[in-house]
Amino acid sequence: MATPTAEGATHAPTASEYIRHHLGHLANHHQDNPVDFNVLHYDTIFWSVAMGVVGCLILWMAARKATSGVPGRFQAAVEMLVEMVEDQSKSIVHGDRSFIAPLALTVFVWVALMNSLDFLPVDMFAEAFKWFGVEHLFPYHRVVPTADLNGTIGISLGVLVLMLYYGIKVKGLGGWLHELFAAPFGIYMAPFNLLLNIIEYAAKMVSLGMRLFGNMFAGELLFLLIALLGSTATVFGFVGHVIAGSIWAIFHILIVFLQAFIFMMLTLVYLGQAHEGH
């Protein structure tokens, strides 16, 4: 008869099983192909929407409590953020910024909040589901939407739509189509120009989403490896877990906000390019 300790060791997941479990998504069904539009990642959708709502509430509270006198810390922080975004949009987008500047601010706050979910303990929700007895309803759950390629590509698709919209709005449908076929080598190279411009649009969209996904996925994977280091029953494992976890958490703060800033800046650059001709 096996002892409880032996049974626990038998059922304990291996390192690869632990990582694979934490990298799984709560989805409607398993994804068998690299591209499957029938798969829905419920955790990514939920946390993306939740952080969008939180971001809107933060900005709404800042606008609602704004005063003309000496601002408090919260109002001063938001005003500094708004001024920074306005200065960047003014230097990049040469045209009407009445929608683009608030869009850039929203993108920065939204992406920063989604990235910040990576600071939550990796096992927090798994343990919470077990405590409430609903772990069978949530066999998988990933909190960070930007560590899911579907989430980041979805945002970059929205940026692509805005690039096309402003390209047509600023240049007119005829001017945009002419540029699509005539730039950069002239109308006589129309098929080649069209192919190059389509590749350029696709490359901007894919690189925008892949850059954010790659950085956040790598950060999430490192947190999992550090968590596994702490599970080793040795003094080195515990001390290494504390030291490595603390160092990486501090460094990850920079990554979280830097990636949000880069995503916002590239959004402004791409929309600014849509206002200009080749």
Side-chain angles (χ1 to χ4, degrees):
M1 181 176 179
T3 63
T5 304
E7 290 179 358
T10 301
H11 292 91
T14 64
S16 60
E17 290 173 343
Y18 176 83
I19 293 176
R20 186 164 57 249
H21 178 268
H22 280 278
L23 293 181
H25 285 280
L26 182 64
N28 55 340
H29 66 82
H30 181 69
Q31 182 171 335
D32 299 316
N33 302 310
V35 179
D36 190 347
F37 294 105
N38 294 319
V39 176
L40 296 176
H41 291 171
Y42 298 127
D43 42 14
T44 298
I45 295 172
F46 173 80
W47 288 107
S48 298
V49 174
M51 291 303 99
V53 172
V54 170
C56 290
L57 285 175
I58 291 174
L59 296 177
W60 175 77
M61 289 174 58
R64 183 171 176 267
K65 295 182 178 181
T67 60
S68 57
V70 179
R73 294 181 179 178
F74 176 62
Q75 181 180 337
V78 174
E79 286 180 354
M80 289 174 61
L81 178 61
V82 171
E83 185 177 352
M84 181 269 293
V85 173
E86 177 62 25
D87 290 341
Q88 296 297 333
S89 65
K90 188 183 299 183
S91 62
I92 295 173
V93 180
H94 305 293
D96 183 15
R97 301 185 308 277
S98 59
F99 176 78
I100 294 177
L103 169 71
L105 176 64
T106 303
V107 166
F108 177 81
V109 173
W110 188 29
V111 174
L113 287 173
M114 289 191 290
N115 291 352
S116 298
L117 290 172
D118 213 9
F119 296 130
L120 297 177
V122 292
D123 290 314
M124 185 179 76
F125 287 96
E127 294 300 323
F129 295 149
K130 289 180 181 178
W131 193 81
F132 285 104
V134 294
E135 66 273 15
H136 62 286
L137 298 176
F138 302 94
Y140 300 99
H141 189 81
R142 288 182 68 182
V143 182
V144 187
T146 47
D148 180 8
L149 186 59
N150 297 279
T152 58
I153 290 295
I155 304 173
S156 60
L157 276 172
V159 176
L160 175 63
V161 171
L162 288 172
M163 290 165 54
L164 298 174
Y165 168 76
Y166 277 104
I168 296 173
K169 179 182 179 181
V170 173
K171 304 163 189 173
L173 180 59
W176 179 77
L177 287 174
H178 180 269
E179 184 178 86
L180 193 65
F181 285 93
F185 300 116
I187 194 64
Y188 296 107
M189 298 285 289
F192 189 65
N193 292 331
L194 177 62
L195 179 62
L196 279 182
N197 285 313
I198 291 176
I199 292 175
E200 180 183 358
Y201 278 117
K204 288 178 179 178
M205 185 269 295
V206 173
S207 63
L208 186 63
M210 287 290 291
R211 180 181 291 103
L212 179 58
F213 159 74
N215 282 277
M216 297 310 301
F217 183 84
E220 189 177 28
L221 189 58
L222 277 174
F223 273 127
L224 291 174
L225 293 174
I226 292 172
L228 285 172
L229 182 64
S231 67
T232 58
T234 62
V235 175
F236 172 77
F238 175 76
V239 174
H241 169 73
V242 173
I243 296 176
S246 301
I247 293 175
W248 180 246
I250 294 171
F251 180 68
H252 204 59
I253 295 174
L254 174 63
I255 295 176
V256 161
F257 293 103
L258 179 62
Q259 289 304 314
F261 178 77
I262 291 174
F263 198 95
M264 179 203 73
M265 289 296 295
L266 288 176
T267 299
L268 286 173
V269 168
Y270 293 157
L271 295 183
Q273 290 175 348
H275 284 70
E276 301 170 357
H278 284 279

